[in-house]
Structures are given as C-alpha cells and as structure tokens.
Amino acid sequence: MGRIAVIGAGMGAMAAAARLAVAGHRVVVYERASTYGGALGRFERDGFTFDTGPGLLRVPAVPRDLFVKTGKEPLEACVGLVQVDPSARHVFADGTEVSLPNASRAGVVTALDQALGAGAGERWGDFLVRAREAWDRTRRPLLEEPLWPNWRMLADREPYPAVAHRRMLRTRRAATLAEVGAWELREPRLAALLESHALAYGLDPRVAPASAAVLPYMEHAFGTWYVRGGMRELARAVYERCLARGVEFRFGTPVRRIVEKDGRAVGVELAEDPSRALGSAAAPVVEDADFVVAGVAPEVLDRLVAGTALRGGDEVAPQRGMPSRLTVLLALRGGRPAGVAHRTVVHTPDRDQELERLFGERPGFPAAPTVTVSRPDDPGLAPDAEREAVTVTVTVPSGLRVSEADVERVLDATRRAVPDVRERLLWHEVRAPADIAEATGAEGGAVPAPALAAAAGRLLHPSNGTRVPGLFTVGGWTHPGGGLPHAGMSGALVSGLIVEGPDFRGSQ
C-alpha cells in the first residue's frame, strides 16, 4: 500500500488517518500545533476544565461507525457517552421558558403546548415531519456520498416541502428558514426556537434556505449527547485509535507547501528538518507521499498550493466570510444546583438588531446577544463539589475584536440562565475569534457551517477531491461541511476515494 501525508490533526483528518491506516496505508500526520483535536480544544486552570470548541455531540452514529470500522473496541468502550435530557432549555425574550425532552416528539409537543399555548406543539411536530422529508431527500448526497459532479441539482432544488401560504392575494411557499417560522409556525417564540438552530451554526435565518430545517431535525431525531470529561475526550479517543492503528503523528511540524510533480501531489515540504542538529542551518525537507490529505482552512490550503488552480469552472467555491464564535469560560464558586439543564439557550430580546449586527454591512457585537449556556453534570470539570464550570458561547462576526463591554453583555444575558452568576464568579477566560484564527488558520476565526441544499449552492462545500491528482481535502471546510458529524463523514469519504478510487459512491 501507499504512503499518506495528512496535514492537520483535526477530527476529520484523524478520522481519515485511522481509516486509511486500517486499509494498509502508512499514514503520517503533520500538525503545526503541539496537540491534536483541532476545534476540540481544552482550557484548564485552578482545577477547572472547559471545552473551548463544540460541547455536545449530535449524530453519534458517525463516531460509532469510525470505531467499528477501525478496531474491535466500540466508541462506548473508549469514552463515556451520556444522553442529555432535557435536550435544551429555552428562555425567550418575554420570559417564557420551555425545556425540551431529548429525542421525544410526544414529549416536545407536550412541553411546547404547556409553555407556549395549545397548538404550539402540534405546529412544531408538523414542522418536524416536513423537516424529516428534507432530511430523507438530502442525507445521502449531503452527508454520505462524495459531492455529485452535477451538484447544481442540489443547489437549485429546495428539498423542504413548504406549506402553501396565502399572502397578498398570492400563494407562496417558504424559501428561507425565517419564512418557515413566520408562515408555518406562526408563533414568535417557535420562530425564535427554529432560528436559534441556524444562528448556532453562524447562518442568517433570513437568507438560509428552508432546507436548514434539517438542523433542528438532526438534533430531534438523533438526540443530544455529552462525552464525560468534556468533548476533548472524544478527540483523545480518536487520537489513541489512530496510534493503535499505526498512524504516526508529528506535532510542532508545519508544512510549508504541497509538492507537485508532473501535475500530481507527491509529498509535502516541511519548514525544516525536525531531526537536524541544534545550531545547524535550517533546510527544507521534502517527504514523499502517494497521496496528500489536507485538513486545513481554505486560506491555508491556498498558501500550500500557491500558483496552482485548485478550483474553478463549474466547481463549488470555498465558503468565505462565515461568522465566528466567542466563548466565555466561567469559574463559579458554589456547586452546580441539582436539576438544572445541561444547555440553556437565552434568546435575544431584539432579533432584528442582532441579525443586523451579525450579518449586516456594519458588523459588530449585538447589544443583547443570544447566548448558549452549558452547565454539564460532570464533577470532573471542577476542582470540588463547591465549584462549577460554566461555558457560554455566542455567534459573533469573524474578525471581531472583543471588548470588556462585550463580555459584560454576555454576562448580562447569562444572568437569565444563571441568576447569581456575577455573585458567584471567581474568574473568567475569553476565547475570541482571534484565538480560533490562531488555532485553525481560518481568516478572522471563521467557523464553517454544514452543507445545505438549495440557496443556489451558497452553502455547499467543495468536493473532497481537487484538480490536483493525489490531493484530497478533509474537515469542516470541505464537503460535507462544518460540525462534528460532517467532519467525521468527510474522513470516511476521503478514505473511500483513496482506497476505492474515484468511483467510490459512499457507504451503503
């Protein structure tokens, strides 16, 4: 078998590396940072432990499949996987609250009827039925198969079966997620619940296609899961599976460029030989490879293949200018109260102002942002039972310079979920877009969204193959896009394309 050079040790890249190693290839991972995991970072201080990336897992079937295909130990033997219930608590602008059971349609319908009034649950339940149709129509091409060469069939067709709506003497159907909320859900708090799923992925619900209905459906259908010890433990388990399969990791080893010969990727050039004697002259070193797998942001990939046209013509263009995330880590005195929700979404009281600040021509920090407050029931995250680790995340414009006033606004919003947060606060740590940019190389700390159908292809991602034979891309910036399940599937797709060739059509 051949030699594979993998650039980056993110989750998609490690998923590809493990699968390729099992197939008999010699796999070497080159990571410029000192550790693995990409977005699944960890911050530790004074006995507190925080996730700095995604805090919950959806579609656990993706990592389960990885562990089944790469070894005898299943995922649950390597990490403690816990189903979160309730899935989320929502605090709306008018003070109404609702806790939604995990993966229970009947329970969600009942909870919404009790909190928002009779009929609200039925409208949401009917919406989920339509969202399932969109999911069934797009699941394989957008998650399980390489991007179709005729991808415009996905770009031009809206898979969501919108309900006919009579408006201004005209019959119309919802084309955007915001229109689904306004015309089909017909309840401001239900619309806010719907739009929060788009906002969490950095999508503007006013222009996100109706097919974005698959985002809340995925959470409803597959549940919401937490990894005991924090999501960083999932990265550890995948890394250890790679090691067990013989994958070699070289940390602190940046790649300068992808080497091409006769129009084909044939290796990587490192900044210098890591084995050179101390004090000797730095010299670039080239390591040969039969295939190169790049798990990096588009801006980084452009630098690695400078002078080569990776994309063009009728191919999907890489996404640019996606929003970023602000994460505020809170170390609190006092233990976690019994019965509080793992995740609380506090909705903004001024939806229009928030969307304009996030997606308008003059981006900035919203006056009262939507925040997601994570309070895991996990004693291992705090130094003792009299302390609590809380993580607050906010979608913000990429490149935003976060001020102390912005952090104060986050704490103000957090009080609606943790009323005594200021009185209990020991210290806080801020992870801004600049920190994401430093960790990933993505301009402005942008975070990729999952691939979605319709919208003229704006939310599709480039295929995993490139115009350079032997060079493949993996991770959130390539098909099928951002989010842990999608990154994991990109690893499966790349390994399939390398092992089985260009005729590979995905798992059956």
Side-chain angles (χ1 to χ4, degrees):
M1 288 293 188
R3 176 184 168 95
I4 314 290
V6 179
I7 305 173
M11 294 301 285
M14 289 198 296
R19 291 174 182 270
L20 288 166
V22 167
H25 293 282
R26 182 191 171 195
V27 184
V28 180
V29 177
Y30 304 90
E31 170 57 57
R32 67 185 181 94
S34 60
T35 188
Y36 54 84
L40 289 185
R42 171 180 284 169
F43 178 82
E44 296 177 292
R45 174 182 164 186
D46 299 341
F48 290 88
T49 300
F50 302 88
D51 283 323
T52 58
L56 291 171
L57 176 65
R58 299 172 182 86
V59 197
V62 174
R64 282 173 177 151
D65 180 72
L66 171 65
F67 277 74
V68 167
K69 298 291 177 57
T70 60
K72 296 180 180 180
E73 281 190 311
L75 175 64
E76 281 83 352
C78 302
V79 297
L81 202 58
V82 181
Q83 193 166 20
V84 175
D85 201 13
S87 174
R89 169 182 170 232
H90 288 264
V91 180
F92 297 104
D94 65 354
T96 306
E97 299 182 14
V98 61
S99 292
L100 301 179
N102 200 340
S104 169
R105 183 181 186 277
V108 167
V109 168
T110 299
L112 289 172
D113 277 343
Q114 292 176 348
L116 308 185
E122 182 179 2
R123 287 197 296 277
W124 184 260
D126 291 344
F127 157 74
L128 288 176
V129 171
R130 295 188 292 275
R132 177 177 179 174
E133 289 191 44
W135 168 257
D136 289 341
R137 293 170 181 174
T138 60
R139 174 179 59 87
R140 284 197 60 81
L142 285 186
L143 194 62
E144 299 176 354
E145 297 178 348
L147 186 67
W148 293 348
N150 56 340
W151 58 268
R152 289 198 175 275
M153 294 180 63
L154 294 171
D156 298 334
R157 296 181 181 179
E158 174 55 73
Y160 178 78
V163 175
H165 171 72
R166 189 77 172 172
R167 186 169 185 260
M168 300 293 288
L169 302 180
R170 296 171 58 193
T171 299
R172 302 182 61 186
R173 295 180 183 273
T176 67
L177 202 67
E179 290 174 343
V180 171
W183 300 354
E184 297 181 9
L185 297 178
R186 305 187 311 280
E187 212 289 343
R189 292 163 297 185
L190 285 181
L193 170 60
L194 173 63
E195 292 185 359
S196 68
H197 288 83
L199 195 64
Y201 285 102
L203 298 172
D204 184 348
R206 301 170 301 182
V207 297
S211 65
V214 300
L215 300 177
Y217 174 76
M218 289 169 64
E219 181 172 306
H220 164 77
F222 304 106
T224 304
W225 301 76
Y226 172 71
V227 177
R228 186 68 64 186
M231 290 297 294
R232 175 70 178 176
E233 287 298 293
L234 179 62
R236 175 199 56 76
V238 175
Y239 169 67
E240 291 180 354
R241 177 56 53 91
C242 285
L243 294 178
R245 301 284 79 81
V247 176
E248 179 183 352
F249 284 82
R250 299 188 188 176
F251 296 111
T253 307
V255 171
R256 174 177 290 177
R257 68 182 180 95
I258 295 169
V259 179
E260 298 176 45
K261 182 178 181 181
D262 299 327
R264 178 183 175 83
V266 295
V268 295
E269 179 184 299
L270 308 181
E272 61 182 49
D273 184 350
S275 64
R276 68 184 179 88
L278 183 64
S280 62
V285 59
V286 173
E287 302 211 348
D288 296 335
D290 297 287
F291 298 95
V292 177
V293 177
V296 297
E299 297 83 2
V300 178
L301 186 60
D302 288 344
R303 293 196 297 269
L304 295 178
V305 290
T308 299
L310 276 178
R311 317 279 182 190
D314 197 40
E315 297 179 40
V316 175
Q319 287 189 14
R320 307 279 182 172
M322 291 297 296
S324 185
R325 304 286 185 272
L326 167 65
T327 304
V328 182
L329 314 175
L330 306 176
L332 304 184
R333 61 172 60 89
R336 179 183 186 271
V340 301
H342 181 117
R343 177 177 53 144
T344 298
V345 180
V346 178
H347 295 261
T348 179
D350 193 340
R351 175 255 195 191
D352 292 337
Q353 193 264 0
E354 177 176 50
L355 296 182
E356 184 58 30
R357 296 295 280 167
L358 291 177
F359 305 105
E361 294 182 359
R362 300 178 62 183
F365 199 88
T370 296
V371 302
T372 299
V373 181
S374 297
R375 308 176 73 179
D377 184 10
D378 189 344
L381 302 184
D384 54 53
E386 298 305 317
R387 300 289 187 271
E388 182 182 9
V390 175
T391 302
V392 185
T393 56
V394 188
T395 298
V396 298
S398 59
L400 180 72
R401 298 183 65 178
V402 178
S403 69
E404 278 301 318
D406 297 331
V407 176
E408 289 299 311
R409 294 186 184 101
V410 172
L411 291 175
D412 285 342
T414 301
R415 291 187 70 170
R416 299 176 64 201
V418 189
D420 55 357
V421 62
R422 289 186 181 275
E423 294 76 12
R424 296 175 58 196
L425 186 61
L426 292 168
W427 51 262
H428 71 271
E429 180 77 17
V430 176
R431 310 293 290 180
D435 297 302
I436 298 177
E438 173 64 23
T440 66
E443 185 175 354
V447 178
L452 294 173
R458 288 184 296 102
L459 294 174
L460 295 176
H461 289 261
S463 61
N464 307 101
T466 70
R467 286 191 171 189
V468 179
L471 173 61
F472 295 85
T473 55
V474 71
W477 291 104
T478 191
H479 178 74
L484 281 176
H486 299 75
M489 282 306 303
S490 75
L493 295 175
V494 166
S495 64
L497 289 167
I498 290 175
V499 173
E500 299 188 27
D503 294 330
F504 172 68
R505 298 314 326 146
S507 58
Q508 301 297 322

